[in-house]
Amino acid sequence: MSLCTIRFLHYPPCEFGATSIEQIDMPTRIGEHTDFGCYTFLLLGEHGAEGLQIKPIEGGEIGGISGGEEGGWIDVVVPPNGAIINTGALMARWTNDEWRATAHRVIVPSELVAGRERFSIAFFVDPDKDAMVEVHDKFCRDGKPKRYEPITSSDYLTSKLQEMMSPKTKT
């Protein structure tokens, strides 16, 4: 578990300027993404999961334009000082997408929420850097093909970080 990390997250108060009641254009504190690793423990503060939303996705990666998809978002309901667990993209690889990565984002749903700070602690659980991540045979029964090639945890993390840092091209 040499690649595990913990992050103390602070979202300061921000402007509120929703342009639609469907929450398509809601201000965001962090746009849509999936976590790279196996899973993430997210410990929440006194206001629970205010603004945290999840969306089912097809595989281990997010789809569409980050943060701009219409529909499909579900508000996360967790009591104050509660916790949730998100599955990550490496878990999706190991399970051949039977356990999919949790696409999530944090929106600012109201002026009240915009005026408050948001705190959380994220503990990202990843395998050792040299661990080989490959689809487990259990998830390839009945002739189901493996969707992913084997890769070390470190190589996968490096590729995802490089992907994030690469300039985006519009098609």
Side-chain angles (χ1 to χ4, degrees):
M1 299 194 25
S2 60
L3 294 178
C4 292
T5 55
I6 192 166
R7 289 187 61 200
F8 294 85
L9 304 168
H10 171 240
Y11 301 91
C14 62
E15 296 289 321
F16 178 73
T19 57
S20 74
I21 77 174
E22 293 89 19
Q23 297 184 350
I24 295 167
D25 298 323
M26 297 296 273
T28 59
R29 289 192 163 158
I30 186 165
E32 178 187 359
H33 66 284
T34 60
D35 297 335
F36 302 150
C38 292
Y39 49 92
T40 303
F41 289 108
L42 186 63
L43 306 173
L44 302 161
E46 67 179 300
H47 297 293
E50 249 176 11
L52 180 62
Q53 295 182 320
I54 61 170
K55 181 175 78 171
I57 60 171
E58 289 302 312
E61 312 298 330
I62 63 171
I65 299 169
S66 180
E69 285 78 2
E70 294 183 30
W73 289 104
I74 302 165
D75 291 328
V76 175
V77 179
V78 178
N81 302 310
I84 63 168
I85 300 173
N86 286 331
T87 51
L90 277 180
M91 184 65 74
R93 291 179 77 95
W94 258 320
T95 65
N96 213 27
D97 288 336
E98 284 197 32
W99 287 28
R100 296 185 172 145
T102 307
H104 55 284
R105 68 181 184 179
V106 178
I107 63 165
V108 183
S110 69
E111 282 191 67
L112 177 66
V113 172
R116 287 201 281 245
E117 295 178 299
R118 184 179 188 279
F119 295 92
S120 59
I121 300 171
F123 179 56
F124 301 97
V125 179
D126 297 290
D128 288 337
K129 63 180 180 164
D130 296 326
M132 186 59 65
V133 178
E134 56 187 313
V135 174
H136 192 280
D137 290 337
K138 175 182 177 180
F139 300 99
C140 293
R141 294 187 183 136
D142 302 322
K144 184 177 180 180
K146 292 183 179 184
R147 296 184 67 179
Y148 302 102
E149 293 296 319
I151 190 169
T152 65
S153 179
S154 178
D155 287 346
Y156 182 76
L157 178 60
T158 299
S159 73
K160 296 308 288 180
L161 293 172
Q162 288 173 342
E163 184 181 302
M164 275 180 39
M165 302 308 265
S166 298
K168 305 286 186 238
T169 57
K170 296 192 180 208
T171 56

